[in-house]
Amino acid sequence: MEKYGIGQPVRRKEDARFITGAGTFVDDITRENLAHAFVLRSPYAHADIGRIDTSEAMAMPGVLAIITGADWIAEGFAPMPTKSAVQTKIDGSKLNQPPRHPLAIGRARYVGEPVAFIVAETRAQARDAGEAVEVDYEEREAVTDPAKAIAPGAPRIWDDIEGNFCLDFELGDRQATDKAFEDAGHVVTLELRNQRVTAVPIEPRGAIAEYDSATGRYKLHNATQNVHANRAAFAGVLNISPDELHHIAPDVGGGFGAKNSGYPEPPLLLHAAKKLGRPVKWINDRNESFQSDTHGRAQDSKVELALDEDGKFLALRTATIGDIGAYCWTIGPFTPTAGSARTQGGPYYFPAMYYTSRAVFTNTMPLDPYRGAGRPEASFQIERVVELAARKLGIDPVELRAKNLMPADSLPRKTPMGLDVDSGDFPKVFGRTLEMSDRAGYAQRVEASRERGLRRGFAIAPYLECTGGSPKEFAGVKFAKDGTLTLSVGSQSTGMGHETSMPQILAATLGLDIAKISYVQADTQATPIGGGHGGSRNLEVGGSAVVTAANEIIGKAKQIAAHLLNSSAEDMSFADGAFADVKTDQSVSIEDVIAASLEQARLPGDMEPGCLDTGAIFEREVISCPNGCHAAEVEVDPETGAVQVVGYWVVDDFGTIINPLLAEGQVMGGIAQGLGQALLEEIIYDPESGQLVTGSLMDYALPRADDLPAMEMEFFEDAPTAKNPLGVKGAGEAGCCGAPPAIVNAVLDALAGDGVTHIEMPLTPQKIWRAIAEAKT
Amino acid sequence: MYEFRYHRPETLEDAAKLFSECGDPLFLAGGQTTLPVMKQRLASPSDLIDLGRIPELRGISLSGDTLTIGAMTCHEDVARSADAKSAIPALAGLAGDIGDPAVRSRGTLGGSIANNDPAADYTAALVALGASVHTPSRVIAAEDFFTGMFETALEEGEMIVKVAFPAPRSAAYVKFPNPASRYATVGVFVAGTREGVRVAVTGAGPCVFRAGDIEAALEGDFSADALRGVSVSPDGLNSDLHASAEYRANLIGVMTRRAVARAS
């Protein structure tokens, strides 16, 4: 039993299924009489839509229905909701939120925006018919760059929204910050970009909708990260009660935020399924995914750091323009505002900070959270400006950082951004990372690289981040007569391994065999509420809900145990899967108590069979603050600009580690995506036409296995948080926070001798080569 | 993908006959370009004629100094071939570094050179080694075979049967991969042959080409040092998202020096 306890590297129960191709993803599901949908998408970034002639397409073989924007509006459906936690501008007025319908209404505002929805007997027939739909487009001037979008004279994306402006935002003490800058010994300023990227989950989005005319209920199998919130969103659009929609996510092949939100296709599918009286399936292809999955990052920032004469940080001032695309989407306005503000300044001690930002519309695919949603951006901003300050002031970047980390005895501390940092030891984690990275041997490694014609660089990047997502979670446990039990939780794994980690928590708390626990998630009928996936929230709120449920079960089980032992519940102790009478030492196993709980004859009179079945809700009061430190060593080939990350070290403080295998997997995956952001990935729209230039994997560079270094990682577990019963801090997004600054700063360290001080991400070979060439002249 | 008819002839004659009878046919070799392009609906042949069952299109043989590779031989087979590795190790190495294992197990020599993608690897090997392309009716020198971007000297319906490579004294291929596609942003094949030093460049221009200035510099002194002072002009080179013409010109110099160092 011990090996399934908290902290054990339990192997993933779901892997056998995934590795052998036995998972059930949306596209693995089929139905009798299934029809297939195709989304006709706008080929223009900005165009008025005149007449849409569907007559020829409707006459084609197998075509069942074609829905246009005009058809949709005629049904009286509501727009898709925006649920950003930030809803007002600095002046208190409401953010500018244009209506977002599943189909473009009268005007297309980004390449890939749905224009018509075609349903046919086969997918190929639907696509054939899509090519026969005649749409009169009148092209308009497009604007894809956020700075240009807010400049005077820019094309207006929404007629009633001036300056393509969604909202502005501020946080922190502006006056105190400005004063600190006036008095500062040094001010270092850096303008930088967290470039637009996309998640590229291995499974594209897709869904199957069904409608039962007998009951009037809908069913939706959907590759989503959040069945409950999206059920509410889709029901709202269709003017039905959420109870009328059963929303299920089967196995989902990666999300990273790109499957969080309310997309256009599911309401269209639900409507079509009802209209046709047939189940309808739709699966996005990879090219469509680049156009129509929400994008991430896309922030241009001016970061200013004020230091005193000795290099102590006095204040940080950040001004960001956040591109949110053509619509507010689901929580698009949140990321460049509060999402990026909270962790400004990272793990450093700042007496004053001020963050301000503007969210701006452009003729591009809208933004929504992408792994980290603002925290990786903030981490990159602070770490880059600190690195630059060290070089400008002639201080060792390692020393400058060490000098300014929040000391352990300064915690708990509320940062000037209002973040409640309750636990951790940043200097210790920083020091351990340095130790792991073998600084003593570095000079020799630099020399060895030099002999091979390569430049070697090193950087260390401590980070501070925070969790997010819905604060409430439900866990339910049901016991069966055969000794098995079912655990249902409202959070969702899209590959993170909840099927293992959540039963592990339950098994450890109840002292049961993990093999007896089956796991259910992402089904609106299985849990009354559910916050799905996002914000590294699962262990913190989902895991805590499991503990809460388990403790309730133990409380009830004590009454049964007492009854079985002719004792009283107050005298029952519970340890190692057995209840014991503290007075008599008589004991009974939990398995036996569970068996008794299902038989009236063995229960106390006031309890009924099934009385151990439990549903519990945990609600987080304050978000936790995962933190840690990354360090990277890179080799740069100055002749080609190619970079290889050759060393990587991480120490993470995620509080208590439930399963180190899974935690390491989260860190590695986050580093891979962070490396992608640092060196390879960028969504590029043509500035003139607004066409998506990086619309396939031939042009959008994802990291491959051979791009990644071997990573040495450790966990610092001496500072669990008291914010939740497990003491966990959330591990899912941390890798993305540490990797971009560690890798970018290491490359710039390698190029310091060449006189290169800044290169915008991604640091591609061409950009590095050019920067070296330009620094020479 | 649009609908099409699929054929799998077992002789060259049947394949040719089918081709002449179909409305808008395409030969299918490994399908590593044709199938994705069809899936994206950018190509819509009426008929696909799969050449995979024709025995004389397969196999690798070494006779004297000539390595002959059947058109339908997949890259993985070339990479693993003892004959290829002994006669022209640079060619076996090139084949083993195309795409990924799935591509190498399906993609073929004939399919690659018939497509003549500007960033394909094999084209550089054929031109640098002075290979000859055999069709059922004629033999075409590699330099005459590649005529332009995605264009070759093949007539409508003409198939490639095999390619004959004379073994060089020494050779090497070095490429700089596109970070996204891993096709050659620039690939340089250098070969010391009986006719002298030959240097072919792929990925950099619209079609594989020989680098005359570099060949001349290497003729008397086959060493990386001989290339000092030889500058490559960006004129006429490709420019795209991942590499400007200037960057490609730089890469031609760097890849050539590395190839020469490896070959010498």
Side-chain angles (χ1 to χ4, degrees), chain A residues 195-198 297 370 645 668-683 700-704 707-709 735-736 739-740 743-744 761-764:
Chain A
Q195 83 278 21
R196 179 187 286 246
V197 293
T198 188
R297 314 282 187 252
Y370 168 60
V645 181
M668 285 181 197
I671 290 169
Q673 282 183 311
L675 181 144
Q677 175 116 30
L679 301 178
L680 296 161
E681 300 180 41
E682 184 169 23
I683 285 282
Y700 187 89
L702 278 187
R704 290 166 165 87
D707 289 313
L708 292 168
C736 271
I743 293 167
V744 168
M761 295 191 290
L763 274 64
T764 61

Side-chain angles (χ1 to χ4, degrees), chain A residues 743-760:
Chain A
I743 293 167
V744 168
N745 282 333
V747 171
L748 291 167
D749 181 53
L751 302 180
D754 294 286
V756 176
T757 55
H758 183 66
I759 305 173
E760 293 288 7

Side-chain angles (χ1 to χ4, degrees), chain A residues 296-311:
Chain A
R297 314 282 187 252
Q299 294 187 14
D300 291 317
S301 306
K302 181 179 179 188
V303 191
E304 297 170 284
L305 176 65
L307 309 91
D308 73 10
E309 289 297 344
D310 300 327

Side-chain angles (χ1 to χ4, degrees), chain A residues 123-125 127-129 131 285 287 454 637 639-642 680 684 693-694 696-704 706-707 764-766 769-770, chain B residues 1-3 38-42 100 117 176-183 239-251 254-255 257-258:
Chain A
R123 189 153 185 250
Q125 287 173 335
R127 197 168 167 180
D128 288 346
E131 290 176 5
D285 74 18
N287 290 8
L454 304 173
D637 180 341
E639 290 191 320
T640 63
L680 296 161
I684 297 173
V693 178
T694 49
S696 81
L697 289 167
M698 292 295 280
D699 290 311
Y700 187 89
L702 278 187
R704 290 166 165 87
D706 64 357
D707 289 313
T764 61
Q766 172 171 236
W769 172 78
R770 192 178 293 149
Chain B
M1 198 176 272
Y2 296 103
E3 285 195 12
M38 286 174 66
K39 278 187 180 173
Q40 290 179 58
R41 300 191 154 201
L42 298 171
D100 52 47
D117 189 305
F176 191 81
N178 174 310
S181 69
R182 300 255 169 129
Y183 271 79
S239 199
D240 57 31
L241 181 65
H242 296 284
S244 66
E246 291 72 23
Y247 181 53
R248 279 193 161 88
N250 167 68
L251 288 178
V254 177
M255 294 304 116
R257 286 198 297 278
R258 291 179 186 182

Side-chain angles (χ1 to χ4, degrees), chain A residues 44-47 107-111 113 139-159 161-165 193 196 295 298 300 321-327 359-367 684-692:
Chain A
Y44 297 107
H46 202 187
R107 204 201 287 188
R109 292 177 170 86
Y110 62 92
V111 169
E113 180 165 11
E139 212 179 338
R140 283 170 170 262
E141 193 187 341
V143 59
T144 59
D145 182 87
K148 284 185 187 152
I150 48 171
R156 216 180 244 219
I157 298 169
W158 294 95
D159 289 340
I161 297 177
E162 201 175 325
N164 299 313
F165 173 67
R193 166 170 281 194
R196 179 187 286 246
H295 295 161
D300 291 317
I321 297 176
D323 181 355
I324 60 166
Y327 294 85
V360 176
F361 296 111
T362 59
N363 289 115
T364 62
M365 177 65 211
L367 283 279
I684 297 173
Y685 284 96
D686 181 81
E688 298 299 318
S689 67
Q691 290 297 320
L692 178 60

